[in-house]
Amino acid sequence: MTEEPVDVLIIGAGASGAAVAWSLLDTRMKIVCLEQGGATNPADYPSTGNEWEARRSSDFSISPNQRKLKTDYPINEDDSPIKVANFNGVGGSTVLYAGQFPRFHPSDFRIKSLDGVADDWPVDYKTLEPFFEENDRMTGVAGLAGDPAYPPRDARPMPPVPLGKAGQALASGFNKLDWHWWPSDVAINTEVYDGRDKCINLGACISGCAQGAKGSADVTYWPHALRGGVELRTHSRVREITVDDDTGMATGVIYYDEDGVEQSLKAHIVVLASNGIGTPRILLNSKSKLFPDGLANSSGLVGKNLMFHPYAAIQGIFDKPLDGYKGPHKAVQSQEFYETDPSRDFVRGYTFETSRGMGPAGTAMTGMGYGRIPWGHGHHKAFREMFNRVTSIAAVCEDLPEEHNRVTLDDLLKDSDGIPAPRISYTLSENSRKMLDHAVARGTEMMTAAGAREVLTLAPIKYAGWHLMGTARMGTDPARSVVNEWGRSHDVKNLFIVDGSIFVTSAGVNPTSTLQALALYIADQMKQRLANLFD
Amino acid sequence: MMSKLNITSQLSDSDIRDLKILAAMIVPASKDYDLPGADDPLIFDDILAAAAPHSATIASAVQALNTIARDLQATGFADLAVEQQETSADTFRKHHAAEAELLEALTVQCYYRDERVKNNLDMDTRPPFPAGFELEQGDWSLLDKVRERPALYRADSETGKN
Ligand SMILES: Cc1cc2nc3c(=O)[nH]c(=O)nc-3n(C[C@H](O)[C@H](O)[C@H](O)COP(=O)(O)OP(=O)(O)OC[C@H]3O[C@@H](n4cnc5c(N)ncnc54)[C@H](O)[C@@H]3O)c2cc1C
Ligand code: SF4
């Protein structure tokens, strides 16, 4: 029996797909979300067992190429010094995210006008502000109003996470140098919120929060969306979006169900929310007579302008005990070097975000990686000098869009359903290199001021491709962008893109707060334009 | 839960003996700290179980180690004198970095979840969930200095609009 067409078909149940599914509930349309992964069960998360550290290298690795679950797709990343980190399942990559939840700054939407680089966005901070607020409420954000690095904002829904010993040491370091710092906005419950428990400092945020205290989309938006009637089909992997060769409109998708059986689903509106790698992959796999180079690709920009945030890690070894593996990873951030400063040899800037500490195996592996903990007899002494005595900061560096950094389809690699896999080509720009060098030098200075006896640094961090942006950028000019200023494809009038692919620039902060605010904004635009959505 | 497959059917006895020597080279027993080495029977069994999904890589790592040993002394890794074993292991780490890192990771992941080792480090032996941990608030008065700062964000246009 052929299934009736649905009104809205969302591809991907991650951060952006969940927000849009929930927001469109008001329309009373029939909404179906197809998600290639399953729903995770917090009772199975690593922190519920003694193998919690080891599972970070196996079924809860942040790298899909290491995890290799059936629900993952492989990525050829040989041609990139930064490797992709993601999660494929209900909640998407937020299942593993750290929950650092800063917003973009007003200036981030205007970098061409202000700094003469890249492009301005077709939306601005003021327009997104109500959606930032709505998203913070839905997600449950802890933090503190009054940060001088941002325009004035409402009180955060919950008080900030504790500084702990590590946060306190780092805050003192920033103060000694007279540098800005502020408690991070984090998607972590510091109180019972929206029926979810508060954080109990498991210290395992990036392996899934067994307590349900971290605001990942599976526990924030999805329960509300499902209660409202959205249908979520898991283990449903989309191969391609189909189009009508006469009208050029999207007609639905072809996907594979859990048993690998090909299925099709027709829809009046298709919303792509498969992230900065998954979305261009689907578009490039959707070739047809009208769109021989991939769907919505008349600009040739689908897959191009891939941005990560190159990360620098600065780890301090202290004489005194710190928090070790206990507590949320994130505590405070510094935006002393965020905005462009003409006296520096690079444009734009970065945020320092703190990371608390590590478990014993993490300490040993990190120490060995840096050559700080030897094999053999010196192991135990060197290990004790580091265990519970390390804390770190990471610089989240703004990555500028460059067309040669891109996602294409791999000639050979395929996922378990035989769908061509993505390949990424990425080189670190000169600007990023200089920014990383600056961050390493300033970070080392701060760690020393904070009292670190020894400082270890690494830039760029290899397995830090967790922010995936730019590969189907938004803009008003169809020749220079893939979607318009409210997320609709220039080429296909019933196709929307709502994930990080549409970012014009990357800013120097983690993207999810802005990405979800933008998704809510696009959903709102759709609601306001329902009568003439396809004009 | 991690796979508890058995790797022993895929490795020979001598491969396993070599791995055990290597595990003890990575984390040796210590009288000073009253700690077992990674070749302790319980810990080493755990390492073998954890290594199961990587059996092919482990087998080729052991082979590489023995090739290095034979180049050095025309004998297998296990039959070398301790100093020569160390020299072989150094060469192995240099030329087979990925395999060495895998062995290192498996060894320390299993070593540091052993109850005796955790007790020795004054760690809780239970999993983090459901009891969780305490975390002190820290000194929030440190923020007073930052509160006094003027705004440091840039307006998004010449007109000063946010
Ligand atoms: C380890 C880690 C730490 C992170 N920490 C932070 C942080 O602290 N702060 C922050 O802001 N961000 C963080 N991030 C990034 C954050 O998770 C992402 O920005 C966010 O989840 C992106 O949302 P999205 O909707 O674009 O994509 P995702 O959340 O990745 O969701 C995309 C979904 O689409 C599905 N999908 C893809 N292709 C198909 C297909 N063909 N068919 C069906 N379904 C498909 C995927 O399975 C996935 O579930 C982190 C990420 C990781 C991995
Ligand atoms: S530290 Fe808090 S938020 Fe992170 S995993 Fe533990 S309970 Fe969840």
Side-chain angles (χ1 to χ4, degrees), chain A residues 47 50 54 57 106 110 115 124 148-149 163-164 168 175 178 180-181 200-201 336 375-376 379-380 384, chain B residues 25 28 93 104 109 112-113 118 120 125 128-129 133 136-139 142 145-146 149 152-154 156 161:
Chain A
S47 64
N50 272 324
S57 319
R110 291 284 175 274
D115 294 325
D124 59 14
L163 287 174
Q168 182 169 316
N175 273 0
D178 263 332
H180 165 265
W181 67 274
I200 49 171
N201 305 310
E336 183 68 22
W375 284 21
H379 177 95
H380 299 288
R384 276 172 163 68
Chain B
M25 290 176 83
R93 289 178 78 184
E104 234 173 50
Q109 281 164 2
Y112 285 107
R113 68 187 180 208
K118 281 185 173 178
N120 185 290
T125 52
F129 186 82
F133 303 109
E136 64 194 59
Q137 275 296 328
D139 178 7
L142 285 166
K145 191 170 178 186
V146 194
R149 287 184 68 134
L152 68 147
Y153 66 92
R154 266 201 303 180
D156 72 355
K161 178 171 82 87

Side-chain angles (χ1 to χ4, degrees), chain A residues 33-91:
Chain A
C33 176
L34 299 180
E35 166 54 53
Q36 68 185 332
T40 46
N41 177 0
D44 295 336
Y45 285 165
S47 64
T48 59
N50 272 324
E51 292 153 335
W52 56 278
E53 284 197 278
R55 288 180 70 193
R56 286 187 185 164
S57 319
S58 57
D59 57 339
F60 272 80
S61 166
I62 61 173
S63 157
N65 287 347
Q66 190 173 34
R67 230 169 26 231
K68 288 194 174 96
L69 303 178
K70 186 169 175 264
T71 45
D72 291 316
Y73 55 94
I75 300 172
N76 181 341
E77 46 193 8
D78 294 347
D79 198 14
S80 173
I82 298 176
K83 312 295 178 190
V84 173
N86 71 9
F87 189 76
N88 298 304
V90 179

Side-chain angles (χ1 to χ4, degrees), chain B residues 65-76:
Chain B
L65 196 62
N66 276 288
T67 307
I68 294 165
R70 270 190 293 277
D71 286 350
L72 193 73
Q73 202 56 269
T75 182

